[in-house]
Amino acid sequence: MKKEFPTIKTEKLLLRQFADSDLENVFKGLSHPEVIKYYGVSFQTLEATKEQMSFFADLEKNDTGIWFAICSADNGTFYGAGGLNNLSKEHKKAEIGFWLIPSFWGHGIIKEAIPLICNYGFYDLELNRIEGFVESENENCKSVMAKLDFQNEGTMKDCEIKNGKFISLDIYAKVKGNIGNVSVDL
């Protein structure tokens, strides 16, 4: 029996499963130059964006992660997305990712949403470690990771090629034993 997709709600936010009606908002985010500058995925058309919607569904279906639509508490405004992928049950770890539509940057949304996703990973998925791989030039994301109490573990120099050039990735991580026990009502 398939378990129900979790919904996480606070006074300000609703983290929920993606719906077909989110397609235009996902396209709006993943076609915006400021969002895709450091994000690994971008789309030029609504039709192509369906690939990302399939990715979200496949993660859940294949049990390799979970991504949430991040919305206002009343579900009236779509802010962006966040979640866990590359889930390893054997090693009890996953990789975190997130993005917001730029008009919502600087409003504290990520600072509230990511701890909820981490708590879900630690307590519901029984992860021990959540990792984040950030392009070394992405100062905004590195600042966010520090504010979220992810520890910088170092830099993998020239480890990937993007747009024909080598890029370096900074590794951030949060380990379950190093956080407080925060409960989340699901």
Side-chain angles (χ1 to χ4, degrees), residues 46-57:
L46 271 174
E47 188 63 31
T49 308
K50 290 180 182 176
E51 180 182 315
Q52 185 69 18
M53 302 297 278
S54 295
F55 167 79
F56 295 141

Side-chain angles (χ1 to χ4, degrees), residues 165-178:
K165 295 181 181 179
F166 281 103
I167 62 167
S168 299
L169 296 176
D170 292 353
I171 307 166
Y172 288 83
K174 188 176 276 205
V175 177
K176 184 176 181 178
N178 295 342

Side-chain angles (χ1 to χ4, degrees), residues 56-183:
F56 295 141
D58 287 347
L59 279 176
E60 182 189 356
K61 181 176 78 177
N62 296 323
D63 214 16
T64 56
I66 185 167
W67 270 67
F68 296 90
I70 302 172
C71 305
S72 59
D74 66 359
N75 201 27
T77 305
F78 180 98
Y79 298 133
L84 301 166
N85 48 276
N86 295 329
L87 178 80
S88 169
K89 289 182 178 184
E90 177 185 2
H91 299 292
K92 295 187 173 283
K93 68 179 186 172
E95 182 179 337
I96 194 145
F98 51 86
W99 58 266
L100 288 180
I101 294 171
S103 57
F104 301 113
W105 291 4
H107 294 225
I109 294 166
I110 288 298
K111 192 172 181 184
E112 184 172 341
I114 296 307
L116 299 170
I117 294 168
C118 288
N119 286 337
Y120 179 80
F122 288 132
Y123 299 105
D124 291 83
L125 300 178
E126 299 178 355
L127 300 177
N128 183 60
R129 177 181 169 89
I130 297 176
E131 303 170 327
F133 297 92
V134 180
E135 287 186 37
S136 295
E137 293 181 7
N138 189 345
E139 296 298 330
N140 287 341
C141 189
K142 291 183 344 181
S143 174
V144 168
M145 296 302 275
K147 287 177 185 173
L148 293 169
D149 296 322
F150 277 76
Q151 301 303 306
N152 184 328
E153 296 185 335
T155 301
M156 296 185 298
K157 297 193 182 301
D158 294 343
C159 64
E160 291 184 1
I161 296 175
K162 181 177 178 181
N163 299 326
K165 295 181 181 179
F166 281 103
I167 62 167
S168 299
L169 296 176
D170 292 353
I171 307 166
Y172 288 83
K174 188 176 276 205
V175 177
K176 184 176 181 178
N178 295 342
I179 64 168
N181 187 359
V182 179
S183 64

